[in-house]
Amino acid sequence: MTSVGSSILTALNAGSGIDTSALVTSLVSATREPKQTAITNRQTLNTSRISALASAASSLDTFANALTEVLSGAAYTGTAASNDASIASVTLLSGGSPAGLPAQLTVDQLASARVYSTGATSSATASSLIGAGTFTITKPGTDPQNPTVFNITVDENATFADAAAAINAADTGVTARVVTDTQGTRLVFKGETGADNDFSVSAARADANDSSSPISQMSFASTSTAQNAKITLDGVAYEYASNTIDDAIPYLRIDLNKASPGTTVTLSMSQPTAGLSDLLKEFVSAYNTLMGALNTATATGADSSSAGVLNGVAGVRDMKRQLSAITSTQLAATGTYKTLADIGVSTNRDGTLTLDTVRLASVMEADPEAVTNMVNPKVSTATSPGLSALMDTVRDNIEKEDGPLKTAQARYDAEAEEFTRQLEDLDEKMTNYQDHLTTIYAAMETRLSALKATQSYLEQQIEVWNNSDS
């Protein structure tokens, strides 16, 4: 942007013969450059620190999340199984691992729902009118003396399909559908499984004298009884309203598929010991990659130019300190092995890990289940967190809002804004400085031009005097 002073100088730059515009530019540049260089150097370092801190936090998140994902897979949590899935099948539920397996199960009776069907009307279809009236659904529940009664009313324009839709919309726990087959059209009512969900249904026409409407001719026949599922689990009898059971064994869903009194089904859980050694090797390798990057970023160096970009940052020192304590932190409260150090994982002086494969092979051979339970317990607790929960805790402690890492990130973000402000302030000051110099040199140019004109006049007079004397 051309300043006012610069425009004046350009207009008057004819008297002295000095390139005052270039002189002003040089003076402003000489003043600006050392200040701007100092700010931009600090700005560049600060930007590198912001990027490095974000990268460190992201790497830690990735590491912890990947570990959780791997350990929650079937290869390390084990697989639930039934030796006769035609009678009962099993599925793992999230949140933990089943305890108390293997277990012996007998399915004595499946849960079923009450079903009623109206008599088939040969001339009717789903769109046929049924006439005005009321369907009454009565549910005795747990107190037959005080049943719950629902009345669903339809008008004279209602069809079989309309009646089914009205019953379904009433949200009674009973559903209705229209069925048309070779015998004709009928309404079928079905409740929920379980004895407490039993119901009865009846229909009455709105006009007691109209005996010709289909609704007045409806009769209801029960085709299924509402009953509970009955099972015996490890010798104890249980009843459930559903054939899907989620709470008989924690973290295990049992689906009852067929009643088979007298037949014992074994529910079991495989032990995930085969791949644990490989997992620990991959854990050490991934951990060392993370720690190696932190070591590079925090390297001291011979001078500031060779030091790591995060050298001296308290948040990163705290991160390394907490990570380095992993091998000595308790993963299990009981058992032969309680820490990673117990099974051959040690911390080096630079914070990286070393895995003693001979030691690991020995403990895996001696008690593979104890190692598995330590690294990946069936249920993680405060005293027996396991490796995944420990890493999550370390990550959460490192990244807590008032911790050293977040504090460092906030400080460098604030400095980034300050450096931007300083550069903007420097631009403004240098513009003002340039205008000031331009004004000074413009005034000087004006004076020099006046002096030059005076000099020229005197020289002419002297020349005239000299000529007259001759």
Side-chain angles (χ1 to χ4, degrees), residues 76-303:
Y76 298 104
T77 59
T79 304
S82 164
N83 71 337
D84 193 339
S86 68
I87 297 175
S89 54
V90 290
T91 307
L92 288 176
L93 298 175
S94 61
S97 296
L101 297 179
Q104 306 303 314
L105 172 71
T106 301
V107 181
D108 302 305
Q109 175 179 291
L110 291 181
S112 59
R114 176 72 69 180
V115 177
Y116 285 98
S117 174
T118 64
T121 304
S122 59
S123 62
T125 64
S127 60
S128 297
L129 297 177
I130 64 170
T134 301
F135 291 92
T136 299
I137 295 173
T138 303
K139 303 185 73 174
T142 58
D143 185 4
Q145 300 303 317
N146 295 286
T148 303
V149 179
F150 301 91
N151 292 310
I152 300 99
T153 301
V154 295
D155 60 30
E156 68 272 10
N157 296 316
T159 64
F160 277 83
D162 293 334
I167 292 165
N168 293 334
D171 194 24
T172 65
V174 175
T175 59
R177 68 182 189 277
V178 182
V179 177
T180 300
D181 58 13
T182 57
Q183 300 177 64
T185 296
R186 73 199 77 187
L187 285 172
V188 177
F189 299 78
K190 185 176 183 179
E192 298 170 321
T193 58
D196 290 342
N197 293 316
D198 201 3
F199 73 98
S200 62
V201 62
S202 62
R205 60 183 180 271
D207 184 353
N209 297 318
D210 181 10
S211 60
S212 62
S213 64
I215 195 171
S216 67
Q217 301 172 6
M218 284 184 178
S219 60
F220 297 87
S222 176
T223 60
S224 177
T225 302
Q227 64 183 22
N228 292 332
K230 294 182 179 181
I231 66 170
T232 302
L233 186 64
D234 287 337
V236 181
Y238 301 92
E239 287 193 30
Y240 293 92
S242 172
N243 291 315
T244 298
I245 303 170
D246 289 348
D247 53 2
I249 298 174
Y251 307 111
L252 187 71
R253 172 173 294 164
I254 304 172
D255 288 302
L256 308 181
N257 302 318
K258 181 176 68 176
S260 184
T263 302
T264 299
V265 178
T266 300
L267 310 180
S268 60
M269 189 80 178
S270 65
Q271 288 299 323
T273 57
L276 198 59
S277 295
D278 290 336
L279 170 72
L280 289 171
K281 291 175 184 176
E282 292 176 5
F283 169 79
V284 169
S285 176
Y287 178 97
N288 286 344
T289 299
L290 172 61
M291 185 59 73
L294 293 176
N295 287 340
T296 299
T298 56
T300 304
D303 51 42

Side-chain angles (χ1 to χ4, degrees), residues 375-400:
V375 174
N376 198 28
K378 291 181 174 63
V379 179
S380 178
T381 65
T383 55
S384 297
L387 187 55
S388 174
L390 174 63
M391 277 304 308
D392 284 342
T393 299
V394 170
R395 183 255 309 273
D396 292 344
N397 285 337
I398 289 172
E399 296 183 355
K400 62 185 178 182

